[in-house]
Amino acid sequence: MEINLDANATTAVLPQARQAALAAMAADFGNPSSTHIAGLKARAILDEARGAARRVLGVGSGRIVFTSGATEGIQTAVLSALVHARAALRPGAVVRPQLLYGATEHKAVPQALQHWCTVLGLDWPIRAIPVGSDGRHDLAWLKAQAPTAALVCTMAANNETGVISDLDGIAAVLQGSAALWLVDGVQALGKLPLRLAERRIDYAPFSGHKLHAPKGTGLLYVREGAPFTPLQAGGGQESALRAGTENMPGIAALGAVLRALEQGEAFCDAATLADYRARLMAALGEALPGLVFNAPPAACLPTTLNFSVPGVPSRQLLDVFDAAGLRMSGGSACSAGTPEPSPVLCAMGVPAAQAASAVRLSFGAAESAAAIDEACARIRACGQALRAHGALPALAPGRAAPPLLNRFVVEGACCYLVADAASRQCLVIDPLPELTDELLRWVQCRDLKVVAVLDTHSHGDHASSARLLREALDMQQPGEAPADPLGWPADVQRIHLGAMNLTRLAVPGHTLDATAYLLRDAEGGLRCAFVGDTVLPGALGRSDLAQSDAMAYAASLRMLDQAVGRHTLLLPGHDDDDQQACTLAGELRVQPLLRGVLDGTLSDEAFVTRKAQIERDLAPTPYQTLACGARVDGCPPSEPVGLPADRLLALMGAAPAPVLVDVREATEQQMGGLRLPGAGASAEQVPLPELLNALPRWLRLPAGTPVIFYCRSGNRSAQAARALRRLGHANAWSLAGGLALWPRAVAPVGVGAEPLPA
Ligand code: PLP
């Protein structure tokens, strides 16, 4: 059973609303403008729905216009207010009217203000009303600005945090101002009494799909006498306020929802919602030690909780919840695809690291007690999985066995943590400031001792956090000779990590101090080399920086070749295209300069000249950071690797048997597995950050063996498949669409779900 804890993004349609919509598409399909009986029936449905809306919203003599959703309602209100304010402007007025909106408003509001000002040619200041750390508007600021405002937009309750605005306080500071007032009521409907007519609110948009009605439905409240400019003109529907034949199935459904709300059917009362929230808060507190709420729950809608577990990225929490069948989000659905921290939390002054781990849990006002109890049980199970796999401190610390090679990536820059499970020692290479909390938590949760924190070179594009990390770990012992600037301990030839060891090789070129670190096992076998930016997948590190030594670069490459050979995994300092790793053999195929140096056909001088040519005017990386090398790779990162589900099923019975690899995090794997007929149990489990450990093994498979990766959406598995292909195993695939689109008959097994018949 899926449980929607992302109700602020959207909700399932109530059964009575579905029925009403179906009827309006079948027997009652009439056009409400027609004068025959079919039309009259449709008109009655329309009037009933409007009547229910009027009563539920307490609109008094105000008007209700059916719209396609809140975004349309916002546009209509903004357009109406701007047209009015432009007409009211005295000729020659020097002070331009201000347009004010809450700093935590849904982006539809500032975007609409900007858009309609552009369309109408208005060069008026658009300013954000600051909010405090509690998410509430700064009323003193608003009071000072109100006299020159033409429009003030403040939401009733916030979609990301649930913070409830002080509408009476806002009304008080707007007293005497000529400003029109727009209140976005989307998230408040069904959860808070809005008493629209009792307040001097001019416009209030609402959205049907946030309240168990279908998408594409909405309402706009317009106070009696408030200026109005229709967004669309035509056949005069909606009393000419919004032309176009009405969306009757949607309106019928919305009417059914509003009637249910009015009659107390299906929807919970305030006390029940508060009880649900208390249960969820208790479960979260138990499951996620260190959890903090990003807005005080008591000042929020009872249906919304926004929390962070500092040091645990929100992606990690969301993925494990998703695997458990709990749908949550990091914030607004409209911004879910962007890695940026939430502007709402930033406006409230939530520290960036805390905002980066924010999760929004929001349930619908029509949720059942059974679903809430099941959600609590799953949240607790997720907490156990996170502890078991070292993402959270274990109750009995230290038992999660760390993999040898662990990779962390921030905007293409790579950091590695090398851990020896037997001795519980580890070392960190190229730490990044954004990772400090995560790395500390990682080693603490696994009870590891950090024996060294190293940099491969002095980085030009980002700061190393090595010193910060060493200090946080209290690594410098009194009286001990300090390490060199890259962190290598004084008077030491090799760093021991249990039975393994690390040696260093100076490879000046990209920078004067560039160093490669070579990891060997107890038998002296070379496991991999950390090469910084000296060799990148598809590129050589640039050597036109102030700290570069271009003339030394070619000799360094020959030295590296001698030291590691052609097939050792090279782990780069940057990986903008998620290639994971490379080998000299693979890079020789695609990098002519490297080929020229290693086969002796290119002199060191010619290498420097040719390299300088391709490094001239290097564009920044896709993350707008300094590019560390000029990419000359012939293998496009977008190479299609997707394997449709039916082709995967066909391959299951064929020889050689495919290798199936689940690349989701261990916590997700624990919370929900994929069962493939006849082969579910034989799938390997290798989370993407641990892929480096398994790549050499898959590269030794016969060329005809398909290696098929899968994950939740198909993104992580596509990365894995491309990486393996690029390293030389062409028969690497990713399950297209991931588990999310896997045919229902073999759907992922959620926690608590019955096992599916094989
Ligand atoms: N306002 C708020 C507060 C919202 O949460 C949303 C939806 O996310 C909108 C406006 C936009 O609503 P709609 O999807 O109906 O256009």
Side-chain angles (χ1 to χ4, degrees):
M1 179 176 74
E2 294 194 21
I3 301 180
N4 182 21
L5 296 180
D6 196 15
N8 288 6
T10 199
T11 52
V13 176
L14 281 187
Q16 50 269 58
R18 271 180 249 162
Q19 264 174 10
L22 282 175
M25 288 190 284
D28 303 332
F29 68 91
N31 181 334
S33 298
S34 302
T35 52
H36 48 58
I37 288 180
L40 294 176
K41 279 197 211 162
R43 169 65 54 190
I45 294 172
L46 187 66
D47 291 345
E48 263 179 48
R50 202 186 314 275
R54 299 186 69 84
R55 292 189 299 275
V56 166
L57 294 173
V59 301
S61 56
R63 289 171 288 179
I64 288 288
V65 186
F66 286 110
T67 63
S68 63
T71 301
E72 182 190 327
I74 291 166
Q75 311 302 309
T76 310
V78 167
L79 174 66
S80 301
L82 293 187
V83 167
H84 169 78
R86 186 175 60 171
L89 212 56
R90 280 196 319 278
V94 268
V95 180
R96 291 173 303 161
Q98 301 197 83
L99 307 172
L100 308 178
Y101 67 96
T104 57
E105 212 68 18
H106 187 277
K107 70 178 173 193
V109 170
Q111 293 290 325
L113 291 171
Q114 193 61 59
H115 174 70
W116 290 107
C117 276
T118 307
V119 170
L120 298 174
L122 301 175
D123 176 21
W124 292 353
I126 302 173
R127 298 180 68 193
I129 307 164
V131 297
S133 57
D134 59 358
R136 287 194 152 192
H137 302 93
D138 180 339
L139 295 185
W141 188 96
L142 181 56
K143 188 174 184 176
Q145 304 303 325
T148 53
L151 174 63
V152 173
C153 310
T154 55
M155 59 198 342
N158 186 270
N159 48 311
E160 289 194 30
T161 57
V163 168
I164 299 169
S165 299
D166 175 8
L167 292 183
D168 291 326
I170 296 170
V173 298
L174 291 183
Q175 230 163 25
S177 161
L180 291 161
W181 185 18
L182 183 163
V183 173
D184 175 343
V186 169
Q187 299 294 348
L189 184 57
K191 300 158 200 164
L192 283 183
L194 280 167
R195 310 192 326 267
L196 289 174
E198 290 172 33
R199 292 174 162 141
R200 56 150 290 194
I201 296 167
D202 295 289
Y203 310 100
F206 298 92
S207 174
H209 74 103
K210 311 284 183 177
L211 193 76
H212 301 281
K215 290 161 189 66
T217 62
L219 297 166
L220 175 64
Y221 160 79
V222 185
R223 185 180 52 77
E224 186 188 15
F228 195 91
T229 300
L231 202 58
Q232 48 196 65
Q237 289 89 347
E238 291 291 280
S239 309
L241 299 180
R242 193 225 190 223
T245 302
E246 296 84 346
N247 165 15
M248 286 309 297
I251 291 172
L254 183 53
V257 169
L258 292 167
R259 277 194 301 279
L261 190 59
E262 194 183 9
Q263 288 156 15
E265 279 171 23
F267 287 91
C268 306
D269 59 22
T272 309
L273 294 178
D275 172 53
Y276 289 175
R277 174 171 67 181
R279 290 193 222 180
L280 287 162
M281 283 173 69
L284 288 168
E286 241 177 74
L288 308 172
L291 170 141
V292 287
F293 288 104
N294 293 317
C300 296
L301 289 174
T303 48
T304 306
L305 289 167
N306 193 308
F307 58 87
S308 293
V309 185
V312 183
S314 53
R315 191 69 272 146
Q316 189 169 7
L317 292 171
L318 295 174
D319 286 349
V320 67
F321 289 141
D322 207 15
L326 299 174
R327 312 295 174 230
M328 294 188 218
S329 62
S332 154
C334 310
S335 312
T338 64
E340 301 303 314
S342 149
V344 169
L345 298 183
C346 290
M348 290 166 64
V350 172
Q354 188 173 322
S357 72
V359 172
R360 172 182 74 177
L361 181 161
S362 54
F363 57 93
E367 202 46 276
S368 71
I372 296 293
D373 285 343
E374 177 61 23
C376 290
R378 293 189 199 179
I379 287 169
R380 290 190 174 94
C382 287
Q384 280 163 9
L386 288 161
R387 286 199 190 111
H389 296 284
L392 285 175
L395 296 177
R399 292 312 99 206
L404 176 66
L405 299 173
N406 303 276
R407 179 177 119 117
F408 302 81
V409 186
V410 179
E411 296 190 339
C414 306
C415 159
Y416 300 94
L417 192 150
V418 189
D420 176 52
S423 64
R424 300 207 89 80
Q425 289 182 324
C426 72
L427 54 85
V428 181
I429 296 177
D430 286 336
L432 299 152
E434 296 84 347
L435 294 173
T436 305
D437 283 350
E438 195 178 341
L439 291 170
L440 286 172
R441 181 179 283 271
W442 211 94
V443 296
Q444 278 155 7
C445 288
R446 290 164 181 80
D447 200 19
L448 296 174
K449 179 172 168 29
V450 183
V451 297
V453 180
L454 305 169
D455 279 302
T456 52
H457 59 290
S458 34
H459 303 277
D461 66 320
H462 63 79
S464 161
S465 61
R467 198 175 48 81
L468 207 74
L469 197 60
R470 273 185 227 114
E471 277 168 14
L473 290 163
D474 213 5
M475 286 177 66
Q476 178 75 44
Q477 299 305 320
E480 196 180 62
D484 79 1
L486 295 184
W488 191 268
D491 311 324
V492 158
Q493 286 302 312
R494 53 192 64 211
I495 297 175
H496 293 280
L497 198 66
M500 290 185 294
N501 67 73
L502 197 78
T503 53
R504 61 179 167 167
L505 178 74
V507 282
H510 176 57
T511 63
L512 265 168
D513 60 2
T515 302
Y517 298 110
L518 278 47
L519 181 69
R520 287 197 168 76
D521 57 28
E523 291 76 41
L526 191 54
R527 297 293 291 256
C528 63
F530 302 91
V531 292
D533 293 349
T534 298
V535 180
L536 302 162
L540 297 177
R542 66 193 298 172
S543 39
D544 60 348
L545 307 170
Q547 64 271 47
S548 297
D549 184 355
M551 272 313 288
Y553 212 125
S556 293
L557 291 172
R558 287 190 293 269
M559 224 147 47
L560 185 69
D561 185 26
Q562 255 178 15
V564 306
R566 300 281 160 99
H567 297 283
T568 298
L569 269 199
L570 306 182
L571 309 188
H574 281 88
D575 183 18
D576 292 331
D577 301 308
D578 297 313
Q579 310 278 11
Q580 300 277 335
C582 55
T583 59
L584 282 177
E587 294 314 304
L588 281 170
R589 281 196 293 275
V590 295
Q591 295 202 43
L593 282 190
L594 181 67
R595 212 162 41 232
V597 167
L598 295 194
D599 68 13
T601 56
L602 198 63
S603 71
D604 289 12
E605 289 74 16
F607 170 78
V608 170
T609 313
R610 296 259 306 273
K611 196 159 177 298
Q613 276 161 4
I614 61 170
E615 281 166 12
R616 197 167 302 140
D617 305 325
L618 263 193
T621 68
Y623 308 100
Q624 297 309 311
T625 50
L626 178 86
C628 286
R631 204 183 155 88
V632 292
D633 197 1
C635 168
S638 56
E639 184 170 272
V641 289
L643 188 72
D646 56 345
R647 281 197 50 210
L648 169 59
L649 287 171
L651 278 176
M652 296 302 300
V659 174
L660 292 171
V661 189
D662 184 348
V663 293
R664 294 174 304 153
E665 294 289 333
T667 44
E668 295 172 75
Q669 294 171 359
Q670 181 171 333
M671 297 310 296
L674 171 69
R675 288 160 53 84
L676 292 172
S682 68
E684 287 188 35
Q685 302 195 319
V686 183
L688 192 64
E690 298 169 24
L691 205 72
L692 298 172
N693 298 286
L695 286 171
R697 184 158 48 80
W698 296 323
L699 286 170
R700 289 194 293 272
L701 288 170
T705 309
V707 181
I708 305 166
F709 298 96
Y710 65 86
C711 64
R712 190 183 49 152
S713 70
N715 282 340
R716 287 173 284 181
S717 53
Q719 278 180 39
R722 279 191 212 111
L724 187 58
R725 271 195 198 186
R726 195 174 179 283
L727 284 168
H729 190 81
N731 208 344
W733 302 94
S734 155
L735 172 60
L739 294 175
L741 302 188
W742 186 247
R744 273 189 182 278
V746 281
V749 182
V751 173
E754 286 300 311
L756 295 158

